[in-house]
Amino acid sequence: MTSAYFSGSSEAGPRSAGKILGAARTVLSQQGYPGLTIEAVAAEAGVGKSTIYRWWPNKEALIADALAQVFRADEIPDLGDTHAELRQAVDMTISNYDNDEMAASLPALAVGLLPNPDLMARFREVFLLRKRENIAVALRRAADRGDLPHDVDTDLVQDVWAGTILYRRLMTGEVLDEHLAEHLVKIVTASPEQFSHKSCP
Amino acid sequence: MTSAYFSGSSEAGPRSAGKILGAARTVLSQQGYPGLTIEAVAAEAGVGKSTIYRWWPNKEALIADALAQVFRADEIPDLGDTHAELRQAVDMTISNYDNDEMAASLPALAVGLLPNPDLMARFREVFLLRKRENIAVALRRAADRGDLPHDVDTDLVQDVWAGTILYRRLMTGEVLDEHLAEHLVKIVTASPEQFSHKSCP
Amino acid sequence: MTSAYFSGSSEAGPRSAGKILGAARTVLSQQGYPGLTIEAVAAEAGVGKSTIYRWWPNKEALIADALAQVFRADEIPDLGDTHAELRQAVDMTISNYDNDEMAASLPALAVGLLPNPDLMARFREVFLLRKRENIAVALRRAADRGDLPHDVDTDLVQDVWAGTILYRRLMTGEVLDEHLAEHLVKIVTASPEQFSHKSCP
Amino acid sequence: MTSAYFSGSSEAGPRSAGKILGAARTVLSQQGYPGLTIEAVAAEAGVGKSTIYRWWPNKEALIADALAQVFRADEIPDLGDTHAELRQAVDMTISNYDNDEMAASLPALAVGLLPNPDLMARFREVFLLRKRENIAVALRRAADRGDLPHDVDTDLVQDVWAGTILYRRLMTGEVLDEHLAEHLVKIVTASPEQFSHKSCP
DNA sequence: TAGTAAACGAGACGGTACGTCACGTCTTCCT
DNA sequence: AGGAAGACGTGACGTACCGTCTCGTTTACTA
């Protein structure tokens, strides 16, 4: 698979999919999200506008595919060490957001897709679910080891992690360093019962 | 002072500031962020476009002022009860984000302002700093009581809170209920040492 | 009145009507009818496309107004001499068509307007009726003198004149010289009874 | 030979020439000249675009061939009666133009070909010369009978006839009835000396 | 009868122009 | 004098066709 992933037609794509998505990322990092126009991408890719519109219904879908190329959703290997695994999960999340390209584009994308539930669902699938499941596996492994509650709320953990990281990056502009990473891991490991489903008062 | 707050000219405003900001909020909730155009606001407010441009430099500033009107940054009263105070802080944050108008607009705004550091700084001042300081007071009060470390990292606490809430609202679409609120409070109170400045390993 | 005549809004027009219609004629003579694009006219006039679209609904209306500026529909003065007056009428018709701009554009215009009866009616009014009435006056004057039948079919006369001239110019490409002009006049004066309404067999 | 006549390659043609030219005429009468696109013709004919482009260089050539199929250029038989023969010539001309397909398309075609002298020459050959020569034969026969001057200007006669007919059809929209036909014949027979080459003053 | 070369349908491609929309600036006219 | 009304130059939008160009697939002639 090389492209047209977000738009759904995962089996096929334009011959110039690579050129186009690459151009989209180039324009995105040079001009920022508001400066990313289809015409600019077409020009940068040396491609006709219609070739882009033939395969992506709109700017949002194109950007989604372009970002999907660089969005990491790796599996967390079993290191035998819960802290190390969770740190790896947090680091992966940080690396996903620690560039203007992604930090600015993902929320803008979400905003653009909000009115369209179908596209929003697809967005979540591509950018959230795949990564979340991989991290959830590591979290459940930690639960098996007894380091986390057996009914650990993997979604809450990841909402706290990704939310904090994205918020810092986009809104406050603070750096995403290993201090933060360590804090985020420890918040979970230090009071694991807060991230259990049944821990409601 | 009634308006033009974000744009800096806090001492004055157009005669129709109220009408205009109200119209902006109306359009925002009816058409969503992408449908909010200056021309639509002018029409809704029964006002000339130039009147808007006379007082707000661009669409972003206008939206910022419109949102600032409904963004809560209340002081947290001394209730003598740390948990109750923190819960109040979290509830205020949730109430700020628990509507599409704000959830979609704030990130879109941030993205629009990102390339302009001055406006971004002003944005942070209006939407983050005022609220943060009020909550920081409560956090430091809790530290004085001994419920939190004396060097509590008020920014980290609030990044976790607001980040998680905004992320849920915008990206995953999950509900923001009192379960979540309680979890967020307890994350902090259950392992307070994780939110201390010096707690780095 | 300087413009927007064809489009109906005769009382008003864009501030740059002159520039725009002039540019249209320039492009028309330099690029020919098929090369006349709205974008080319806008560029030549140093004007935004939207200014053109604000005042003319489409390319046809614009060209119509541009041509109307140079289309002659003079009154034929009473010279006391039927032959001289008719020759003047024929000469005026020839001068209207004896340039590529008009010869190529008028039929193209007619073809473009054919599907729209309203615009076609307006086209006839602007380009045919005004001129025809002026010539009809001269023809009736000739009838009063006894040089033509009292019920002279002024439309037929002018159909023969304009038809022959336009056909030569556009289809056969032959020159429109004074030989032709003289023939056309004499065709009418030599057998005037053929141009009477009641002369049907 | 069935097609590709206008384009010059008279010896051969696509297997689907019939389908294509038929589709062209169908589209022409259903959508009008401006709606005739190569893609529409290809779709209507159930044919690939490239098949059309393989045999016709452009839209104009295709339309020309499509029209050539229905353009009549019959010989005028010797009826022994000048008036009857000329009336037949005029009727043939009328029948050529008395449908929107031809009336709108021929001028549009001429306009499109104007900038290209070669194609224009070919256009004249196909649509004018063949018919003109057949009619010229009848006119010269009339001259031999003494009904027209021996140096009758056959071109002028036909310019007057075809010009008047086409002008009525395209520009004024008046009907082409037998009144008109009779007038056109009589204009020539009533003052034949006006249609002589040497009759210049 | 099989092999081959053309013509074919389908449709992607790089383009151009379309007509629309909103921007942010500007001018005009009314109150 | 201030503001509503809205025209202006600009530039991106998404659409429609252009004419060119691969693709396999018939089709029909040759071997």
Side-chain angles (χ1 to χ4, degrees), chain D:
Chain D
M1 183 240 62
T2 160
S3 79
Y5 185 46
F6 180 80
S7 65
S9 47
S10 51
E11 76 288 346
R15 286 204 284 275
S16 3
K19 271 194 307 184
I20 291 171
L21 294 176
R25 294 216 308 280
T26 302
V27 173
L28 203 48
S29 48
Q30 282 172 6
Q31 317 289 129
Y33 188 89
L36 188 145
T37 68
I38 294 283
E39 302 199 334
V41 174
E44 172 77 26
V47 139
K49 263 201 302 180
S50 41
T51 302
I52 298 184
Y53 279 111
R54 188 169 303 115
W55 296 98
W56 289 273
N58 49 50
K59 172 168 154 169
E60 277 73 34
L62 173 63
I63 299 178
D65 273 350
L67 293 182
Q69 285 196 328
V70 290
F71 194 85
R72 292 176 49 197
D74 308 336
E75 290 184 22
I76 309 292
D78 185 342
L79 304 171
D81 175 353
T82 291
H83 184 275
E85 291 182 15
L86 299 195
R87 175 63 188 268
Q88 200 166 321
V90 168
D91 285 345
M92 183 172 76
T93 304
I94 286 182
S95 88
N96 271 336
Y97 293 129
D98 201 9
N99 60 84
D100 281 332
E101 200 174 306
M102 191 69 79
S105 302
L106 263 198
L109 207 45
V111 169
L113 300 176
L114 261 189
N116 185 332
D118 287 353
L119 287 180
M120 194 67 200
R122 184 110 197 123
F123 167 79
R124 290 192 180 110
E125 187 183 320
V126 171
F127 288 102
L128 306 186
L129 301 191
R130 290 190 301 145
K131 188 191 66 163
R132 285 175 103 81
E133 184 47 30
N134 285 331
I135 295 184
V137 166
L139 289 170
R140 282 193 291 264
R141 202 155 53 216
D144 291 344
R145 287 190 196 107
D147 293 335
L148 292 180
H150 65 92
D151 65 340
V152 56
D153 185 340
T154 61
D155 281 334
L156 179 57
V157 172
Q158 301 198 53
D159 288 348
V160 169
W161 284 351
T164 305
I165 290 166
L166 191 49
Y167 187 86
R168 280 218 163 181
R169 185 60 223 240
L170 182 63
M171 307 283 273
T172 73
E174 285 171 69
V175 294
L176 306 177
D177 56 11
E178 56 179 49
H179 257 129
L180 176 65
E182 202 57 32
H183 274 302
L184 287 177
V185 171
K186 291 225 186 109
I187 284 170
V188 176
T189 52
S191 58
E193 69 282 2
Q194 295 314 321
F195 295 90
S196 144
H197 268 113
K198 69 157 178 270
S199 83
C200 322

Side-chain angles (χ1 to χ4, degrees), chain B residues 131-143:
Chain B
K131 186 190 68 160
R132 284 175 105 82
E133 185 47 30
N134 285 331
I135 295 184
V137 166
L139 288 169
R140 282 193 291 266
R141 202 155 52 215

Side-chain angles (χ1 to χ4, degrees), chain B residues 66-87:
Chain B
L67 293 181
Q69 285 197 328
V70 291
F71 194 86
R72 292 175 48 199
D74 308 337
E75 291 185 20
I76 309 293
D78 185 341
L79 304 170
D81 175 355
T82 290
H83 183 276
E85 291 181 13
L86 300 195
R87 175 63 190 270

